[in-house]
Amino acid sequence: MLLQANLPLIAILRGIKPDEALEHIAAVIDAGFDIVEIPLNSPQWEQSIPAIVQAFGCKALIGAGTVLKPEQVDVLAEMGCKLIVTPNICCEVIRKAVAYGMAVCPGCATATEAFTALEAGAQSLKIFPSSTFGPNYIKALKAVLPPDIPVFAVGGVTPDNLSQWINAGCIGAGLGSDLYRAGQSVDRTVRQATLFVNAYQEAIR
């Protein structure tokens, strides 16, 4: 499965709780998002992820982030999760997710890590933390990567700088604290999601 979407922006809702997940995820999907990630260091993700798969699995690619262990992939596959996002390169995690037919977007920083992930079967890559390396670094890294591999900038992406990452060759970005911070209101989630959607549409004109 390839990481395909109408809007190549990943909504990362780190820290969201089960009793608020549905409302916030409905908000980002209504704004135009169709990739959603709940990191596994969020409270009671074992409840949130199945609930949002059931509620929104037909509208969006529902995924889990901060996936570190192969056995977590087994649990997530049983929940109906379709996307695995990692902060690092663990070939066993990548291979297991691919075997389940999941989309995999592992985090990498160097060419060695990127090619290791691709050899294990990853269909896309996230450069993390992007803000540390900058757009010029990603542009240089893209020059040696296969041209058909989607690259996402993750870490420090805002509506104001999203165009820099797109211009550097990223297909899109993963959006964390500038989109959602634990405990924020649904109204803020709506505002930030709309800003990001508008920024992306402006960046690709």
Side-chain angles (χ1 to χ4, degrees):
M1 177 187 293
L2 297 177
L3 187 52
Q4 296 176 329
N6 294 321
L7 182 75
L9 299 178
I10 305 170
I12 304 170
L13 282 76
R14 187 180 306 279
I16 199 160
K17 298 177 182 178
D19 61 355
E20 58 190 0
L22 293 179
E23 198 171 4
H24 284 270
I25 289 163
V28 299
I29 290 175
D30 287 347
F33 282 76
D34 52 5
I35 313 175
V36 177
E37 168 198 333
I38 292 187
L40 297 193
N41 55 1
S42 301
Q44 298 174 293
W45 61 266
E46 302 93 333
Q47 295 178 31
S48 298
I49 291 176
I52 65 171
V53 167
Q54 183 174 2
F56 304 110
C58 61
K59 297 180 179 179
L61 186 66
I62 305 299
T66 319
V67 180
L68 302 174
K69 301 176 181 178
E71 52 266 32
Q72 292 173 329
V73 180
D74 293 322
V75 172
L76 292 162
E78 193 161 333
M79 291 176 175
C81 195
K82 299 297 184 185
L83 168 66
I84 297 296
V85 183
T86 74
N88 63 334
I89 303 302
C90 176
C91 292
E92 195 174 352
V93 166
I94 295 170
R95 285 192 288 264
K96 178 159 280 195
V98 170
Y100 277 118
M102 294 167 153
V104 189
C105 189
C108 61
T110 66
T112 297
E113 291 175 343
F115 281 103
T116 298
L118 296 177
E119 287 169 8
Q123 314 99 330
S124 60
L125 299 169
K126 81 173 195 183
I127 309 303
F128 176 80
S130 290
S131 58
T132 299
F133 299 102
N136 287 337
Y137 178 85
I138 291 181
K139 189 178 296 184
L141 187 59
K142 280 279 295 178
V144 299
L145 293 175
D148 60 333
I149 296 298
V151 171
F152 291 80
V154 181
V157 181
T158 70
D160 290 338
N161 67 28
L162 178 60
S163 62
Q164 297 177 19
W165 308 107
I166 301 299
N167 292 337
C170 294
I171 190 174
L175 312 172
S177 60
D178 216 70
L179 173 66
Y180 175 83
R181 292 179 186 269
Q184 76 180 28
S185 68
V186 175
D187 286 345
R188 176 169 172 78
T189 299
V190 170
R191 287 196 303 273
Q192 294 305 109
T194 302
L195 286 173
F196 273 112
V197 171
N198 292 342
Y200 174 76
Q201 291 171 342
E202 183 68 28
I204 62 171
R205 283 182 184 169

